[in-house]
Amino acid sequence: MARVVILGAGISGHTVARYLGRWLKGSEHQISVVSPKAMWNWIPSNIWVGVGEMTKKQVTFELDPVYRKLGVDFRQAKAVSVHPDGGDGQAKPYVTIEYTDESRAGQTDKLEYDYLVNATGPKLNFGATPGLGPEGGHTVSVCTPDHAIEANEQLQENIAAMKRGETRNFVVGTGHGMCTCQGAAFEYIYNIDHALRQNGVRDKARIMWISNEYELGDFGMGGVHIQRGGYMTNGKVFAESLMVERNMEWITRAHVTKVEPGKIHYETLDGTEAELDFDFAMLIPPFAGVGLKAYGQDGSDITDKLFAANGMMKVDADYTPRPYEEWSKADWPSTYQNPSYKNIFSVGIAFAPPHPISKVMKSPKGTQISPTPPRTGMPSAAMGRAVAASIRDMVNGAPEPTHRASMGETGAACVASTGSDIFKGTAATMTVYPVVPDYEKYPEYGRDMDLTFGEIGLAGHWMKYILHHVFIYQAKLGPGWHLLPD
Amino acid sequence: MTTEAGAPSEPPRVPVKNREPYQQAYYPPVPTRFTRYFRTSLIWQFFRFWIINFKIFKLLSNSQS
Ligand SMILES: Cc1cc2nc3c(=O)[nH]c(=O)nc-3n(C[C@H](O)[C@H](O)[C@H](O)COP(=O)(O)OP(=O)(O)OC[C@H]3O[C@@H](n4cnc5c(N)ncnc54)[C@H](O)[C@@H]3O)c2cc1C
């Protein structure tokens, strides 16, 4: 009998749990999921919570009943440390966890494993920028449903002020030079624009975008090329056009250094230091690993054997530092297996990427102002499914991982709503294939030009809406869920 | 552009004025009325819906192969 422990029940961890649960159901093997929140959250729809178009209930559901259907043991707890060689009287590898459910809050436990999957996602590292974030800072966030609720409350207060005739400055973007997840902010800025227009106060607002991208539309993927109007053009044109059409302004190549009430301080790549006034700001924080520690059998700290300096877990990537011109898709992991411990895997945002996808840029002061690599929903699910299949085969005797999902061979699709109305709404649909450019297969642009495209229209809005329901149905394990694409 | 509070605003007027030349908004393409019409034309978008779905499906199957 093998015991599989999955840390994290987000997009990637829940995908591992769903498939492994289905494939190993009825066998002697045991699966446990450890996650600090009782609820699953369809994170992309937090954007709609952040403008009051959806409630927390519409974007979350309880995990425990779903796992009971699959025969998966759910622990509402956070993982604290990994002990891959056992220790403290235990011969087998184990993780220590700290319960977060009300009845056992603060109690700790040890969970032995034969296979471990780290899918703990990001630590929202608001602390990296003084004054950033909703918890003790001066900006809002849409990264969790509760953050999004607070963002909407502030948005509604500002709308009420504008209805009284006051003017307001809205700033949306990234809150640090090394952020990723620009897509979420990109979607939120259009939803704010739409909400203001619905309330008849758009003329009272100045809407500004601020980000660490070299150019708009970089999205941490080094930008994209698409076919448009008879030209092969850059995604920058597409992104700028969307902003100009909606009367928005933008600042790129910016690292937010500090946020004070009503004032954002930032530095740009050319060394300029400037300030930006705001009444409402939603800035995405930088991401780090969640801070798991690792210990050897003798209790020695071996965290750096399992984790990179940013707290993300080392996998089968090539971490040799190389100049941008020598980056290749071959550097990217494909099995997500830890090189030191073959029974440990890491998927989604929790794995340490070998290098960014966008070229690393530094200001004269030496501040890095360029996005770190995104690991959006589609690649996170693809990794989760591949790792689940590999573990299924390994518990049945395969000597090594049998499935692969390199970001150099997987695509990403992002549908950003820019106004929600079943007849008049639109959304920007953007896809890239592959996420990590492959200049060997696609020498000119590094990507397949048929599968890399951008389009604005009502069709995208319908898709966004349908995807919300389909993914929640699938995550809840509705009948036939496994037949739906991830 | 001014609108009465409570009523949905008109699409914003694009601020491409060449009085102060070469500002940010001067360079990017701005959709024409024709392009904007097709973005919400039910018949055209119905076709686009299936085409986009087909492409995303292809993207997914390439990613999982
Ligand atoms: C507002 C927003 C909108 C987005 N929109 C899109 C979109 O439209 N399309 C798209 O493709 N992607 C989108 N993304 C990105 C997408 O949400 C991420 O790619 C995806 O959630 C990553 O999955 P993950 O499993 O790695 O992390 P998560 O989904 O964040 O899951 C991490 C899990 O680990 C748990 N955890 C944390 N710490 C511990 C611990 N110590 N022990 C155990 N468990 C722990 C968390 O509670 C959570 O359950 C968006 C992101 C945001 C913030």
Side-chain angles (χ1 to χ4, degrees):
Chain A
M1 188 210 62
R3 181 156 197 188
V4 185
V5 174
I6 301 161
L7 309 179
I11 291 187
S12 60
H14 190 55
T15 305
V16 180
R18 279 191 279 130
Y19 283 104
L20 262 187
R22 178 177 144 77
W23 292 329
L24 299 183
K25 199 172 177 181
S27 72
E28 48 171 358
H29 307 299
Q30 273 183 20
I31 304 166
S32 296
V33 174
V34 176
S35 201
K37 304 228 171 89
M39 313 295 276
W40 190 82
N41 172 213
W42 175 236
I43 299 176
S45 293
N46 290 355
I47 300 288
W48 284 334
V49 177
V51 288
E53 290 206 10
M54 276 196 180
T55 60
K56 181 174 173 177
K57 205 164 166 236
Q58 284 171 290
V59 301
T60 55
F61 63 80
E62 283 230 32
L63 278 168
D64 195 35
V66 172
Y67 286 141
R68 258 187 274 131
K69 267 200 237 176
L70 275 182
V72 167
D73 159 53
F74 177 60
R75 309 290 178 105
Q76 197 193 322
K78 67 173 186 198
V80 179
S81 58
V82 185
H83 303 254
D85 302 308
D88 198 17
Q90 315 258 147
K92 283 189 82 169
Y94 68 94
V95 284
T96 55
I97 63 170
E98 186 182 314
Y99 289 100
T100 54
D101 59 308
E102 260 174 38
S103 58
R104 289 182 290 185
Q107 284 178 29
T108 57
D109 211 346
K110 286 178 185 166
L111 277 190
E112 284 188 351
Y113 64 83
D114 295 288
Y115 293 91
L116 180 71
V117 182
N118 173 19
T120 46
K123 170 185 168 191
L124 303 173
N125 195 12
F126 291 110
T129 305
L132 184 72
E135 289 144 24
H138 313 293
T139 60
V140 295
S141 151
V142 285
C143 294
T144 71
D146 291 325
H147 286 172
I149 289 170
E150 191 186 335
N152 179 50
E153 281 165 8
Q154 280 203 26
L155 175 66
Q156 298 309 326
E157 282 166 22
N158 281 287
I159 290 175
M162 288 188 286
K163 283 187 175 170
R164 292 193 300 269
E166 296 173 29
T167 55
R168 286 290 188 262
N169 282 345
F170 290 82
V171 182
V172 177
T174 56
H176 188 277
M178 288 174 69
C179 285
T180 181
C181 211
Q182 288 79 8
F186 192 73
E187 184 170 7
Y188 193 54
I189 198 169
Y190 295 108
N191 276 269
I192 288 187
D193 170 79
H194 182 72
L196 301 189
R197 219 158 311 145
Q198 289 288 94
N199 283 282
V201 293
R202 178 61 183 88
D203 57 318
K204 300 271 186 297
R206 182 184 188 209
I207 305 186
M208 294 285 299
W209 170 260
I210 186 166
S211 97
N212 57 348
E213 298 158 290
Y214 189 72
E215 296 285 6
L216 268 186
D218 183 283
F219 295 128
M221 295 183 296
V224 285
H225 280 87
I226 50 173
Q227 295 180 46
R228 200 99 223 124
Y231 286 87
M232 201 60 91
T233 182
N234 195 283
K236 163 185 183 343
V237 173
F238 181 77
E240 288 185 349
S241 176
L242 265 169
M243 294 228 166
V244 168
E245 187 192 347
R246 287 165 179 77
N247 204 0
M248 295 171 183
E249 297 157 66
W250 62 91
I251 298 165
T252 51
R253 308 177 192 183
H255 161 65
V256 173
T257 50
K258 185 168 71 170
V259 185
E260 288 174 345
K263 205 172 279 297
I264 291 167
H265 298 261
Y266 66 95
E267 171 194 352
T268 52
L269 261 185
D270 61 8
T272 309
E273 291 186 15
E275 292 168 2
L276 184 61
D277 291 334
F278 73 92
D279 298 290
F280 175 100
M282 197 299 288
L283 301 177
I284 298 280
F287 293 168
V290 297
L292 296 177
K293 304 288 285 176
Y295 296 99
Q297 204 170 27
D298 56 0
S300 58
D301 190 330
I302 55 163
T303 305
D304 57 359
K305 193 169 170 191
L306 263 82
F307 297 92
N310 61 6
M312 290 167 181
M313 191 173 242
K314 291 181 193 165
V315 288
D316 61 320
D318 182 348
Y319 293 105
T320 317
R322 288 197 181 88
Y324 174 79
E325 293 69 25
E326 289 170 28
W327 289 352
S328 126
K329 78 159 193 179
D331 304 337
W332 286 77
S334 60
T335 64
Y336 303 93
Q337 189 181 39
N338 180 266
S340 309
Y341 295 95
K342 304 292 180 197
N343 58 346
I344 300 183
F345 295 81
S346 184
V347 289
I349 295 175
F351 85 81
H355 50 67
I357 305 172
S358 305
K359 185 175 165 62
V360 173
M361 303 273 193
K362 289 195 172 156
S363 73
K365 265 170 117 183
T367 315
Q368 182 178 331
I369 309 182
S370 51
T372 45
R375 279 144 288 171
T376 55
M378 201 188 268
S380 298
M383 291 168 210
R385 193 181 160 134
V387 164
S390 289
I391 294 178
R392 172 199 60 198
D393 295 344
M394 287 169 84
V395 298
N396 289 322
E400 54 190 38
T402 51
H403 286 69
R404 294 169 181 269
S406 160
M407 278 172 59
E409 282 157 15
T410 49
C414 187
V415 189
S417 62
T418 58
S420 68
D421 184 298
I422 207 79
F423 296 118
K424 291 194 214 125
T426 55
T429 307
M430 282 169 276
T431 65
V432 281
Y433 183 85
V435 178
V436 173
D438 178 354
Y439 290 102
E440 274 164 38
K441 199 160 174 193
Y442 310 106
E444 228 171 335
Y445 299 104
R447 298 205 171 98
D448 179 331
M449 283 296 118
D450 181 38
L451 297 181
T452 302
F453 65 95
E455 177 160 340
I456 301 160
L458 192 51
H461 177 68
W462 293 337
M463 286 184 60
K464 180 93 194 166
Y465 199 73
I466 292 169
L467 286 179
H468 166 92
H469 291 287
V470 167
F471 282 124
I472 290 182
Y473 176 86
Q474 185 189 46
K476 276 183 170 171
L477 309 181
W481 66 267
H482 54 282
L483 304 172
L484 297 167
D486 291 290
Chain B
M1 183 182 74
T2 48
T3 41
E4 227 174 89
S9 314
E10 286 295 300
R13 193 160 48 85
V14 176
V16 182
K17 298 183 221 87
N18 211 8
R19 289 272 167 80
E20 211 185 323
Y22 314 135
Q23 292 299 295
Q24 215 168 47
Y26 178 73
Y27 294 97
V30 177
T32 57
R33 192 200 275 265
F34 180 76
T35 301
R36 277 193 278 132
Y37 166 76
F38 274 96
R39 285 181 184 173
T40 50
S41 151
L42 288 180
I43 296 167
W44 178 243
Q45 289 300 318
F46 179 77
F47 283 114
R48 294 310 301 166
F49 179 76
W50 292 109
I51 290 168
I52 297 170
N53 266 298
F54 172 71
K55 284 198 174 197
I56 292 187
F57 192 71
K58 212 165 138 192
L59 183 108
L60 276 167
S61 30
N62 279 17
S63 299
Q64 282 174 10
S65 60

